[in-house]
Amino acid sequence: MIKKTLYFGNPAYLSLRDAQLVIRLPDVPSGSPLPEVLKTQCEITKPIEDIGVVVLDNKKITITSGAIAALLENNCALVTCDSKSMPTGLMLPLYGNTTQNERFRKQLDASLPLRKQLWQQTVQAKINNQASVLAECRETEVKCMRVWANGVRSGDPDNQEARAAAYYWKCLFADVDGFVRDRDGIAPNNLLNYGYVILRAVVARSLVASGLLPTLGIHHHNKYNAYCLADDIMEPYRPYVDRLVYGCFRKYGPGVSLTKDIKVELLAIPTLEVRINRKRSPLMVAVSQTTASLYKCFAGELRRIVYPEY
């Protein structure tokens, strides 16, 4: 089932009632003498079980502890934003699987050779997907990227990922003078940052649902990063965000700002259509297949992670 992504950019009061998320405008009190029609428009309910990601992007949003608890119990990712409307926090449930302790142990016991092989598969999938996006968007020569993908060794000691990334970003946004992929760089880096946070929330949520620890990565190991594994697994999915951002760039032009209209387009990331296991699937569903296959790799039931093919 495809979970919904809810974005709140205006003041609102969020509470819980009968397993429903109640969304109410703060200026409309419960005892207001307004006509019932207007009251209905000012108060909306959404089933908690249908929600996958919630983005809170306004300083005047109030959410009750009961609503937070219910969202987390249903494995929802809660994203908070700063004064610049950039995601700054991510809240996930403490547990999401009935056999979580056993799964943690298998993840912790994963050998170094296994983790290196899994990272090799991840980088190969990422580079191949980047090549496909580049071929579609820019009709650029990508044979070199296919060669680099095939040349990735266990653990990627030759850093083919960085080599491919340099070529990829140079070609994808060749129309932007001086563009370099950097978190604090010029547009459309702002759009990429926002899209990646949404993707990260989707991946982290699925990892928890699969009973895995998002902090313990197979490659990333920054001691200040609480979502190293999410950053690993999202790599082959990044090109789908890149393609969406490229479309926004072509539509709105250079120097594009992160407006609410663009946020609406980026919030469609969980529902993007991807191809996985030779079948079409929404990205959020595909991610759950990827994280489930990752656990099976840790458990010795599979030898390869299931990743999408662009």
Side-chain angles (χ1 to χ4, degrees), residues 7-14 23-26 55-62 260:
Y7 170 82
F8 298 96
N10 296 313
Y13 183 83
L14 311 179
I23 306 163
R24 184 161 55 86
L25 299 183
V55 182
L56 306 178
D57 186 13
N58 193 288
K59 296 292 185 180
K60 295 183 179 180
I61 293 174
T62 300
K260 287 190 176 181

Side-chain angles (χ1 to χ4, degrees), residues 267-310:
L267 288 169
I269 288 172
T271 61
L272 290 177
E273 186 178 272
V274 306
R275 183 170 172 268
I276 188 168
N277 278 331
R278 300 182 180 179
K279 295 181 181 179
R280 297 178 185 272
S281 172
L283 184 142
M284 180 177 282
V285 177
V287 169
S288 66
Q289 295 180 44
T290 297
T291 57
S293 69
L294 175 61
Y295 166 71
K296 290 182 179 180
C297 289
F298 287 144
E301 299 174 21
L302 284 179
R303 296 181 62 87
R304 297 192 65 83
I305 306 178
V306 177
Y307 279 128
E309 296 178 1
Y310 192 91

Side-chain angles (χ1 to χ4, degrees), residues 3 52 74-77 92 200-209 284:
K3 299 287 186 175
N74 283 271
N75 197 29
C76 175
L92 293 170
R200 193 189 201 200
V202 172
V203 174
R205 171 187 172 277
S206 291
L207 287 170
V208 172
M284 180 177 282

